[in-house]
Amino acid sequence: MLRNLLLCMLLLATTMGANAQELQVLGQVVEQTTGTALPGVTVRVKDTNQATTTNSEGEFKLKAAEGQVLVFSYIGFASRELPVNGDAGSMQVQLQSGNTQLSEVVVTGALGIKRPARELGTASAQVNSAELNQGKIVNPILGLASKVSGLRINMFDSKVDPDVQVNLRGIRSHTGNNAPLYVVDGVPIPDINRLNPNDIESINVLKGANAAAVYGSDGVNGVLMITTKKGRAGMQRINFSNTTTFEKISRLPEQQTEFGQGLNGIYDPLQYQSWGPRFDGEMRPVGPVLPDGSQWQLPYSANSDGRKAFFNTGTTTQNDLSFSGGDDRSTYYFSLQDVLVKGIIEGDKNRRSGARFNGSRSFGKLSTSYNVNYVFNKSDVTQSEPWSTVYRLPASLPFADLKDWENNLFVNPNYWFSTNQPNPFFNAANQRTVNEQQTLTGNIELNYEIAPWINAIYRLGLYNRNNDIRTTVGKFTYTTPGRTNIPGSVNDASQTFRRINSDFILDMHKDFGKFSTRLLLGNNVRTDDSKAVNLSASALVVPGLFNQDNRLGQLGGKSSISQRRQVAAFGEFTAGYNNYLFLTFTGRQEAVSVLSPENRSYFYPGVSSSFVFSDAISSLKNNNTFSYGKVYASYNKTGNVVVDPYQLQNVYAQSNGFPYGNLPGFSLGTSDANPNLKPEFVTSFEVGTQLSFFQNRLNLEAAYVDAKTTDGTILADISAGSGFTSAWVNAFKASNKIIELNLNGDVIQRDHLVWNVGANLTHIKSEVQEIYGGIDQLFHFRQNYLIVGKPYNSYLFTDYKRDPQGRVIVDPTTGNPVSGSELYYGGTGTPPYQIGLNTNLQYKSFQLGAQFDWRMGAVVYTEAAARMISDGTSPLTTQYGREPFVIPNSVIETSPGVFTPNTEIQTKGDRNYWANHYATVQSNYAVSADFFKMRELSLSYTLPINWLDGQNLVKEAMIGFVGRNLFSIWAKDNIYNDPEFVYAGGSSEGYMSWRHLPPARSFGFNVNVVF
């Protein structure tokens, strides 16, 4: 059906195009001074999506209607516009060297209203569609990685539909969400993971809280203003693209290849741990004897990188089709997308299919715009146990032979050699989660011109997401002794989230001579409704029948319903003088339902200014060296509400067996509701500058930010004697001092060659300044703490008991470390230094682009390391040949407070030492999180226009190669996993679970055709 629909739409669009009145426009574009032909110049029909590029001789050909305007743009040259007339057989177009003036840039600011960038009193960065889609990403968030200073993006792992963590200008909230607000076409939505990146025209990153102050607490972390593509008046455009990429594991945790399965140096065919004798290459039995008397025989030798056989080559196939066009009163843009991802884990896949329609229509003084976007996403993935088994199994296992567990009895669960770690392929097949997600977004905007100086704008937006999730574990009854049967289970969950957002805005703008003014007054009402229901059965009767009625025992399940509302009034006033000096005041009064009545309403003000001194100082005008200069400053105070609905109310939960027997009863929760909880507040001061040199060939931006968090909210542990174990409290003060630098320029502008290079640098110095009650540290999550005088997101790791000189204290009898519960400060999980590097090389019809990411100064540790050490697969366990040795830098306490260097007392170096005295000490595997990686690489070739002569169907075509994460350099001591990976949202950087898949690289090709 989908294919038939596409064919019909293609036919319709072609028919429409045949009716348009067109002229064949031919011409050549040259450099003004030398007359050199310019290849690769973009030639676009103004206010349309119709465009082409010049060939190697600077020649172009396209169709346009008489009276339309052609726009010529090229990297390193000033744009030019020329009208089309009836005698447009051949045009000679001259372009003048020099980039687009920064003073002319128009951006989408807060509330979705376009404004000159020179007005903004805070830093922002705009990423256009070409930059965003350079790596042909599926999730648009990943297309921003390392491209914007201050913006840090982490993947959770290498699954088919990975979550991402987004952080802009550091961590402000230790408990709440630190992600920026996403605003699509003026309407705030919770996330953009399902947004088709090819539908995005541009993303403007409003970094400062001042730029986002009118959005309230949601904008405290900055705002990503996303503008989707619109149709334009003029000729229609049909665009089809395909991208196919292949994904392979790039690096695995290092594994020792000296010792095989067994314990205490003795081989054991039924043992999964690698504490056996050294590999000798001899054939040895593995697993039990089968009923027919046979037994699995394998060479007792390590398979180099044998674990890679567990992973497939993943594939991603992305198809996009779009139609756009319009006339002087209405426009349309319609797109279809289908993305199929087959993962690196057997059976894992994700399919996303979606459609978007954007339209607009004008009725005199009333302008309307509307859009609707529907996405159906279905993922089928295994749970996390299969990979966690792989890195714990002996290096001698041939993983390629483990896949056929249904037919090969040696690897069938019944006769699998280990009763502790199952066959990972069986696990992957037997434990599945299928998630069918439907996301519907839409909005309508009415803009009425009351008078030439005042407009009334009303927006109504809807975001609706439904998840139907089924998690199953297949029943398996073993026929061999010593194994625990798998009872089988099924859990069906339904989750619904709906947001309705309403904005009414009065936009007043009037000039008085050299003075310009703009006043925005508005009202916002938002309602978030959530509902979740699940029903489960934990003991199935018939294998393979996943139905709750197919059970033993009682059903399990629960449901929840919540609503969050907020109402706000806001305003923004901007006054400008002579178009080079601007002053902006913002304010928002907001009330949120999740706080108690006495604390739920609060006000946050802001002020900012900008000064374009290159326009104000006459001696700087028309300067060939200095092209543009602007300085700006801002100050604001913004609230942040981090608690969910009803968390400040004492609620009761059902508790069977109360007061006795099987009677149902209700018990009070363990978290104390604190009605006095206030919002977190963030005050921010920012100064910055934008400078441009050599006719805009070299551009520099710099910003300094000092942001302070007060009344930081945490869920603190309290004495159980109070009747509760935790409570929400305003508990800390902290600060972020941030430096951002951006530098880019055209290194070469010569003939057919243009080479642009750019870099962005972010340095964040964060510090916890005070914790409520005068305490020095406060536990948060795993090894994550708030520590006075240390950065946000600090880690305390377990360590050996040491003497005052830091030497390890050992037992004089065993040589093992003395038991202790010492903690030491390991560092921050948030990298204080981040550098993004990019380059773009254009030669004739070829274009090469690359993006790099460099992060330094953080620490990371993983739970997988302790498991690998305990099971003997870590290379750390072989550093002394598993022979007795003296622990380096160790001492013996000969009398209280007296320590003597240990030179003779040896630990046995056996499993007991490594599992019980080494794996339990996190300082042994807390490593540097530094990395340098190639994020994206793209190479494209645009077919010369003369290749398309003789036909009227294809207007332009492009083919290309694309790669992502092609290489990565980690710190030397990191032998585990990609330090970019994070366990969960919030402030969890620096901690990796045993569940994380290893990193992967992808490479492939793409084709784009315009009709």
Side-chain angles (χ1 to χ4, degrees), residues 192-503:
I192 59 170
N193 293 346
R194 301 300 182 220
L195 189 61
N196 179 0
N198 295 287
D199 286 342
I200 296 175
E201 183 72 30
S202 65
I203 297 180
N204 191 33
V205 182
L206 304 180
K207 301 180 184 180
N210 187 78
V214 291
Y215 286 110
S217 62
D218 289 334
V220 70
N221 300 313
V223 179
L224 268 58
M225 301 294 304
I226 297 137
T227 302
T228 61
K229 293 179 179 178
K230 309 293 191 296
R232 301 182 185 276
M235 303 298 294
Q236 69 167 5
R237 181 182 177 93
I238 305 172
N239 194 99
F240 172 77
S241 66
N242 168 270
T243 301
T244 302
T245 58
F246 305 92
E247 188 175 49
K248 295 184 72 68
I249 288 297
S250 58
R251 187 167 174 178
L252 295 173
E254 292 186 20
Q255 180 186 39
Q256 65 87 8
T257 56
E258 296 182 44
F259 299 89
Q261 66 191 89
L263 288 175
N264 301 318
I266 301 173
Y267 180 80
D268 185 347
L270 303 180
Q271 178 57 248
Y272 81 92
Q273 294 189 356
S274 297
W275 294 104
R278 288 184 181 274
F279 288 121
D280 56 16
E282 298 292 331
M283 295 296 293
R284 300 206 181 195
V286 178
V289 177
L290 270 59
D292 63 1
S294 61
Q295 192 174 18
W296 199 14
Q297 299 287 328
L298 292 175
Y300 192 60
S301 58
N303 293 309
S304 179
D305 289 330
R307 296 167 299 169
K308 286 188 176 181
F310 174 71
F311 299 98
N312 295 333
T313 297
T315 60
T316 299
T317 305
Q318 181 176 348
N319 292 295
D320 289 273
L321 179 66
S322 65
F323 306 82
S324 62
D327 54 30
D328 58 348
R329 296 185 61 190
S330 61
T331 64
Y332 68 90
Y333 173 85
F334 178 71
S335 71
L336 296 169
Q337 183 187 57
D338 182 73
V339 181
L340 176 61
V341 181
K342 295 182 179 179
I344 55 178
I345 299 292
E346 181 71 21
D348 283 11
K349 59 184 178 181
N350 188 88
R351 183 154 214 155
R352 189 177 84 189
S353 301
R356 166 176 288 275
F357 183 79
N358 293 349
S360 68
R361 179 77 175 177
S362 61
F363 304 89
K365 293 186 177 182
L366 176 64
S367 299
T368 66
S369 63
Y370 42 89
N371 66 66
V372 62
N373 187 36
Y374 172 79
V375 179
F376 177 78
N377 191 90
K378 182 177 181 179
S379 65
D380 184 349
V381 297
T382 186
Q383 299 173 33
S384 50
E385 284 78 4
W387 164 236
S388 68
T389 295
V390 170
Y391 61 68
R392 302 173 72 179
L393 292 176
S396 57
L397 283 183
F399 279 90
D401 297 340
L402 310 184
K403 188 174 182 178
D404 191 17
W405 58 270
E406 293 180 286
N407 300 309
N408 184 346
L409 290 182
F410 295 134
V411 298
N412 184 273
N414 264 316
Y415 303 102
W416 176 249
F417 78 98
S418 171
T419 59
N420 299 97
Q421 296 297 323
N423 183 336
F425 286 100
F426 166 72
N427 248 9
N430 200 51
Q431 303 181 24
R432 308 297 301 179
T433 297
V434 177
N435 185 353
E436 294 185 349
Q437 183 186 83
Q438 300 182 73
T439 305
L440 176 67
T441 59
N443 69 68
I444 183 170
E445 178 178 311
L446 307 177
N447 189 326
Y448 185 76
E449 183 183 302
I450 300 174
W453 56 274
I454 181 171
N455 288 65
I457 303 170
Y458 179 72
R459 293 195 191 108
L460 181 65
L462 168 70
Y463 178 93
N464 194 89
R465 181 181 63 227
N466 294 313
N467 284 325
D468 289 318
I469 307 169
R470 164 163 281 205
T471 300
T472 58
V473 177
K475 179 179 180 178
F476 195 93
T477 303
Y478 292 96
T479 59
T480 51
R483 302 171 189 264
T484 303
N485 293 332
I486 302 174
S489 64
V490 57
N491 184 82
D492 286 305
S494 176
Q495 302 170 352
T496 302
F497 174 84
R498 181 179 67 247
R499 168 175 291 179
I500 297 177
N501 187 88
S502 171
D503 286 304

Side-chain angles (χ1 to χ4, degrees), residues 604-676:
Y604 14 85
V607 59
S608 65
S609 63
S610 69
F611 177 47
V612 183
F613 61 87
S614 57
D615 286 359
I617 303 173
S618 57
S619 61
L620 296 178
K621 293 182 179 180
N622 302 316
N623 190 305
N624 291 329
T625 301
F626 187 77
S627 308
Y628 178 78
K630 167 186 167 182
V631 292
Y632 59 84
S634 68
Y635 173 85
N636 74 282
K637 182 179 180 180
T638 310
N640 188 23
V641 180
V642 303
V643 293
D644 292 329
Y646 321 124
Q647 286 189 317
L648 301 187
Q649 299 177 18
N650 286 324
V651 295
Y652 288 80
Q654 182 180 349
S655 178
N656 292 332
F658 177 83
Y660 56 85
N662 292 322
L663 294 176
F666 293 88
S667 60
L668 189 62
T670 59
S671 179
D672 182 25
N674 177 9
N676 298 318

Side-chain angles (χ1 to χ4, degrees), residues 23-24 65-67 83-89:
L23 295 174
Q24 183 86 335
E66 185 172 359
V84 176
N85 56 48
D87 187 24

Side-chain angles (χ1 to χ4, degrees), residues 463-717:
Y463 178 93
N464 194 89
R465 181 181 63 227
N466 294 313
N467 284 325
D468 289 318
I469 307 169
R470 164 163 281 205
T471 300
T472 58
V473 177
K475 179 179 180 178
F476 195 93
T477 303
Y478 292 96
T479 59
T480 51
R483 302 171 189 264
T484 303
N485 293 332
I486 302 174
S489 64
V490 57
N491 184 82
D492 286 305
S494 176
Q495 302 170 352
T496 302
F497 174 84
R498 181 179 67 247
R499 168 175 291 179
I500 297 177
N501 187 88
S502 171
D503 286 304
F504 178 73
I505 305 168
L506 289 177
D507 180 4
M508 293 166 276
H509 41 86
K510 200 167 184 63
D511 296 341
F512 302 92
K514 292 184 177 181
F515 292 91
S516 62
T517 63
R518 185 168 203 161
L519 176 63
L520 299 173
L521 296 176
N523 164 261
N524 171 258
V525 179
R526 182 186 304 171
T527 302
D528 292 350
D529 292 288
S530 302
K531 182 179 181 180
V533 179
N534 79 285
L535 185 67
S536 64
S538 57
L540 302 182
V541 178
V542 180
L545 179 58
F546 297 108
N547 186 298
Q548 281 80 358
D549 286 338
N550 177 37
R551 75 180 191 279
L552 295 173
Q554 294 183 340
L555 284 170
K558 61 180 180 180
S559 66
S560 64
I561 299 175
S562 68
Q563 184 179 79
R564 183 187 191 275
R565 300 197 71 198
Q566 71 178 43
V567 179
F570 54 83
E572 179 182 89
F573 176 72
T574 300
Y577 174 74
N578 212 20
N579 203 34
Y580 61 69
L581 179 62
F582 302 91
L583 182 64
T584 300
F585 297 92
T586 60
R588 180 178 173 109
Q589 182 72 38
E590 182 174 273
V592 294
S593 63
V594 296
L595 298 178
S596 58
E598 56 271 23
N599 293 324
R600 68 176 44 153
S601 181
Y602 42 93
F603 177 75
Y604 14 85
V607 59
S608 65
S609 63
S610 69
F611 177 47
V612 183
F613 61 87
S614 57
D615 286 359
I617 303 173
S618 57
S619 61
L620 296 178
K621 293 182 179 180
N622 302 316
N623 190 305
N624 291 329
T625 301
F626 187 77
S627 308
Y628 178 78
K630 167 186 167 182
V631 292
Y632 59 84
S634 68
Y635 173 85
N636 74 282
K637 182 179 180 180
T638 310
N640 188 23
V641 180
V642 303
V643 293
D644 292 329
Y646 321 124
Q647 286 189 317
L648 301 187
Q649 299 177 18
N650 286 324
V651 295
Y652 288 80
Q654 182 180 349
S655 178
N656 292 332
F658 177 83
Y660 56 85
N662 292 322
L663 294 176
F666 293 88
S667 60
L668 189 62
T670 59
S671 179
D672 182 25
N674 177 9
N676 298 318
L677 189 75
K678 297 181 293 184
E680 299 176 338
F681 280 97
V682 178
T683 56
S684 177
F685 173 73
E686 176 181 357
V687 293
T689 185
Q690 293 179 337
L691 306 173
S692 183
F693 305 89
F694 311 115
Q695 295 183 327
N696 297 284
R697 283 188 60 175
L698 178 64
N699 300 290
L700 171 67
E701 296 182 30
Y704 171 77
V705 182
D706 187 351
K708 291 182 171 58
T709 300
T710 58
D711 294 318
T713 305
I714 63 169
L715 184 63
D717 294 333

Side-chain angles (χ1 to χ4, degrees), residues 939-955:
L939 174 64
S940 64
Y941 177 72
T942 302
L943 272 62
I945 193 170
N946 57 358
W947 288 18
L948 304 176
D949 288 343
Q951 52 85 42
N952 295 318
L953 180 62
V954 178
K955 296 178 181 178

